[in-house]
Structures are given as C-alpha cells and as structure tokens.
C-alpha cells in the first residue's frame, strides 16, 4: 500500500479527473452473521444502497455458509431481491477448493509424503486436509502436484523403449539452440505422454460421464 508521503508527492504530477471518493460504512449488527434475520437485514440494506446510488443492481459478497442462506431467502422472497447479485468471496472459494482437494487425497498416502519429508508439520496436517490454512495450501498443493507429475512422467518414461529414452535425454542435453517445442522428438514424446496420462486418469477416476 502506498505511503501517505508518496501519495502527496505523486499528486503534484498527476491530475485526477475523478472527484474525491466518499467511503461509507454500514452500522454493524451485533448478532451472529449466520442468522436468517441478520442475513435478510443485510440484503435489505444492500438494496437501499442500490436505490440511493441509482444502480440497476446491488452486489454483495458473503462467505459460503451465509451465501447459501442468502440464496434461499432470495428465492423464497422473489421478486423482492431479484436485483441483488449475491457473490462468493474469492478467498472462500479457494478454501473450499482446497478442502475438496484435501478430501480427495486424504488417506491416499500423499499427505504423509509431505509430513515425512518435513515440508508440512504433522500438527498442521488436519488443517491442510480440510483446507483451513490458506498459505500452506497454496504452497504445498503446488509442490505436491509438481512432485506427482514428475513421478508420473518418470513412470511413463521408464516404459518406453531404450532408444526412445536415450533420444529424449539427448534432446534435453543439447545446446544447439533448438527449442524443445519445435523438436519433433519432443512433440511425439508429449503426445504419447498425454495419451498415457489420459489412460491413467480414466483408470483412477473411471470413464467420463456421457451427456
């Protein structure tokens, strides 16, 4: 965030055509945010702001637990809140995604790779699996995904004939200026790996549903 001194200095060189903004805050509600009456009150206040600012729609963001109830209220009270756009915060969406990923890898052995290697502390394992630790999930899911991808590729590579393995290794070590993306050997290798990857995923997840 810029420091006040920087803003003052920068304002001498830039002419802002927009008028001074006025930031307003709603009065806090001293009640649990998951209560139905509290949620409906926030929706009513958001609609009032919509009318005061002459906007066609009002936008409000909730976390997942509150948004589910807000969607229900919007449906039951239609068309009262039809102009209210209820959105989920990106932060909560990411945590929900990490929780789903944690459920998928739980008791698969992958989580113990992280603890045994010292990347993830054992005391943080349950929070990581449930998607409660944003910073840990952001870093460690990337590490786990890259590690599993490398192991899968090595498994694919070990199943190739010896001459193809040598050709790939030779192409990696070449310094003749040719990019891997333009190499015919590399292209064929990647196409074969994509087929291998698809076969493995279908074996793990089952066939894709037909629509």
């Amino acid at each position: 965030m810029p420091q006040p001194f920087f803003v003052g200095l920068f304002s001498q060189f830039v002419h802002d055509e927009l008028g001074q903004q006025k930031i307003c805050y709603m009065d806090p509600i001293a009640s649990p945010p998951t209560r139905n009456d509290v949620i409906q009150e926030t929706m009513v206040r958001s609609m009032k702001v919509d009318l005061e600012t002459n906007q066609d729609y009002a936008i409000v963001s909730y976390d997942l637990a509150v948004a589910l109830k807000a969607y229900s209220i919007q449906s039951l009270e239609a068309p009262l809140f039809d102009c209210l756009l209820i959105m989920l915060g990106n932060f909560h969406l990411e945590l929900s995604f990490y929780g789903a990923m944690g459920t998928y890898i739980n008791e698969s052995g992958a989580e113990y790779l992280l603890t045994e290697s010292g990347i993830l502390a054992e005391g943080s394992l349950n929070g990581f699996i449930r998607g409660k630790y944003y910073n840990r999930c952001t870093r460690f899911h990337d590490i786990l995904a890259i590690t599993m991808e490398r192991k899968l590729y090595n498994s694919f590579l070990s199943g190739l004939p010896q001459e193809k393995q040598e050709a790939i290794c030779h192409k990696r070590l070449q310094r003749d200026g040719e990019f891997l993306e333009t190499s015919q050997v590399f292209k064929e290798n990647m196409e074969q790996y994509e087929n291998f990857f698809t076969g493995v995923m279908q074996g793990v997840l089952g066939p894709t549903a037909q629509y």
Side-chain angles (χ1 to χ4, degrees):
M1 179 177 294
Q3 297 298 320
F5 289 148
F6 172 79
V7 176
L9 175 65
F10 198 67
S11 63
Q12 301 179 28
F13 307 101
V14 176
H15 178 66
D16 191 357
E17 298 293 341
L18 298 176
Q20 185 177 7
Q21 295 183 352
K22 183 178 180 181
I23 301 176
C24 302
Y25 297 91
M26 294 184 180
D27 294 333
I29 302 176
S31 299
T34 54
R35 278 176 35 180
N36 292 340
D37 58 335
V38 175
I39 296 174
Q40 184 165 354
E41 177 62 23
T42 61
M43 297 170 69
V44 170
R45 293 187 182 188
S46 299
M47 295 295 293
K48 289 181 179 178
V49 173
D50 173 44
L51 295 176
E52 292 174 358
T53 56
N54 297 320
Q55 299 294 320
D56 295 331
Y57 299 94
I59 301 176
V60 60
S61 296
Y62 295 116
D63 63 14
L64 183 60
V66 179
L68 290 175
K69 295 184 177 182
Y71 286 131
S72 300
I73 294 173
Q74 186 181 47
S75 177
L76 293 173
E77 299 292 339
L80 179 60
F81 297 110
D82 286 356
C83 294
L84 188 64
L85 302 180
I86 302 173
M87 303 179 62
L88 294 174
N90 293 334
F91 177 75
H92 297 92
L93 284 176
E94 288 189 56
L95 290 182
S96 299
F97 171 76
Y98 289 137
M101 290 297 299
T103 301
Y104 181 73
I105 68 174
N106 189 26
E107 297 184 358
S108 67
E111 71 274 25
Y112 296 108
L113 294 176
L114 295 173
T115 56
E116 292 298 323
S117 62
I119 296 177
L120 178 66
E122 292 187 8
S124 303
L125 179 58
N126 289 333
F128 171 78
I129 293 297
R130 296 170 59 191
K132 299 299 183 182
Y133 300 142
Y134 177 80
N135 291 333
R136 293 181 179 88
C137 289
T138 302
R139 296 194 304 267
F140 300 152
H141 274 295
D142 285 345
I143 294 175
L144 184 60
I146 293 174
T147 302
M148 299 303 293
E149 183 78 20
R150 291 185 63 179
K151 290 183 68 66
L152 184 63
Y153 180 75
N154 289 334
S155 176
F156 157 75
L157 198 61
S158 63
L160 295 178
Q162 186 65 30
E163 59 272 12
K164 286 192 175 182
Q165 295 185 33
E166 294 177 354
I168 291 296
C169 293
H170 177 70
K171 183 58 64 177
R172 288 177 178 175
L173 297 175
Q174 274 187 345
R175 295 292 185 270
D176 56 1
E178 182 183 16
F179 292 103
L180 286 177
E181 289 81 358
T182 61
S183 169
Q184 187 62 31
V185 174
F186 183 76
K187 287 183 179 180
E188 293 177 357
N189 179 257
M190 287 295 98
E191 290 175 358
Q192 293 174 357
Y193 175 68
E194 288 294 333
N195 295 332
F196 174 82
F197 181 86
T198 302
V200 170
M201 290 297 100
Q202 288 180 350
V204 173
L205 303 178
T208 304
Q210 299 297 318
Y211 295 97

